[in-house]
Amino acid sequence: MLVASVVLCLILYWHLYLAGSRFHSFNWHRTPFWPLFPLTFLCAAPVFLVDLLPPRFVKPVFILPVLMLSCFALEMTAATLQWNTLELMPIVRDVKNPLATSFFNDAEDLVREPVPVREFLRTYPVRLAGFHYHSHNKGPAPILFYYGMLRLFPNPDTAALVGALVIGLSGALAIPATWYMILSLTSDARAALYGAAFFTLIPGLHVFLPEFDQVYVPLTGLLVALWGRALSSRRPVFAVLAGLTISITCLFAFNTLVIGAFLLAVSVLFVVRRETTWRQVLVQGTIAVAAMLLFYAILYVIAGYNPIATLREAWRHQNINLIELNRPWPATIPTDLTNFVITLGWLPLLVLVSFFTAVPLHRRQVALVVICLAQPVLVGLTGLLQSETTRLWLFMTPLVVLPIGLEIARWPRAHRLAFMFCQTVLLGFITQNLRFH
C-alpha cells in the first residue's frame, strides 16, 4: 500500500510539474492499454527470472545476454507503441526526421556529394555550420555511421531501419557495461547483477530509440569500469583501454567529457582508501591520455581530422542553440534535475532514501555513492548540459544505478520483485503518456 500510494503521488506530481515547464516540454499522447502493458511485462519477464531461477542459472554469462535481449525488446516496444502501432515505420520516420536525429539527413547529403571520407573528416570543423540541427555540436561518427548504412543499403528506408536496430542493440550493451562498472567499483557481485537487472527497466534506455544517446551509455559505463580497474589493478592495459574509450566516445559527442569530474573524484577516493597511490593515479592517467593522443594523432595523419577544432566549433554551436531555445541558467536547474528523474522512472528515489537510512550496512560504499550522485547534481548546478536532460543526461544513469544495485541486493526477494514490478508499471506508464520524438 505504501509503495502504491507513493507511486500515485508521483504520478500526480508528474502531471502537475515533471512532464513540462517553460524550459522543458514533451508531447502528450495516450497509447491504449492493450497491447502496451502486456507486451511491456512480457519483454520485462527476464528481469524477474534473476530472482526466480535457481542460483546455478543466475550466472552473469547466462543472465546478462538474456537481460540484453529483454532490453532490446523493450526498446522496440516503446519506440513503436509511442506511435500506437507495432509497425517499424515510426522508427524509420524518426531516423529520417531532421528534427529528431539529423544525422541520417547529413549522411544522405554526404552520399550525394562526391567527397571522400578522408576529405570529409579533414574539413569536418568547417562543415558543422552547414549540418542539420542535432549534428551541429557532435563528432563525425553518427553521420559516418549512417553513411555506411546508406552505402550498404541504398534504399533509404532499409538503411534507416538497419541503423536504428544497430543503435538499439548497441544500447542494450549498457546492461553488461553497467554490471562491469558496478563490479569494478564495488567488488560486489550481487549488487552488480541486481543493478544490471534494474537498469534493464529504466525508461530512458527505451523511449529514445533511435537516438544515439543510447550508445553513449555503455561507452560511459565501460569507461568508468576500465578506470576503476586501472586504479585497483595498476595494470597499464586498463588505462590504455580507458583512453581509447574516451577517444571513441568523443567521435560521437563531447557532452560525456563532464564525466571527468567523477573520474577525478573516484581517483581521490581510491587513494584515501589506500587502494592505490597518487603516483599510480598519475601514471595511469598519463597512460590513458597518451593512448587518447596517439589515437587522434593517427587519425589526424590518416584523415586530417582535428578534434580540437571540432570541439571548439561544437561548443560554439551548442551555445548558439541554447540562446535559440531560451533556457537561461540558473532558472533551468530545477527542471534539469527533476526531468532527469523521468529517465530513471522516479521509484529509484525511494531506493536511494532507503540506502541512506541504512548507512551502517553500506558504510564502506557511502563515499562512492555520494560521488556517483554528485555527478548529475554538479552538471545541473553548473548548467554545463542544459536542454533535454531526460535524453541528454542518459549517459550518467549507470552512476545512479550503482547505489540502487547495492541497496536492493540486501532486500528480501519478495521486496525486490515488488520493486521490479512497480518499475515495469512506471515504464509502461511513461511510454503510454509521453512521446519524446
Side-chain angles (χ1 to χ4, degrees), residues 222-235:
L222 180 61
L223 168 62
V224 173
L226 290 170
W227 182 243
R229 292 286 290 158
L231 293 177
S232 59
S233 71
R234 307 185 183 187
R235 294 174 59 186

Side-chain angles (χ1 to χ4, degrees), residues 78-80 82-83 88-105 146 160 164 207-211 435-437:
T80 55
Q82 278 202 326
W83 293 93
L88 295 173
M89 281 309 297
I91 299 177
V92 173
R93 186 169 58 245
D94 284 336
V95 171
K96 298 173 69 175
N97 184 344
L99 294 179
T101 59
S102 306
F103 311 113
F104 187 84
N105 310 97
Y146 279 120
V207 297
F208 291 114
L209 184 71
E211 301 281 358
R435 182 178 293 145
F436 291 89
H437 297 104

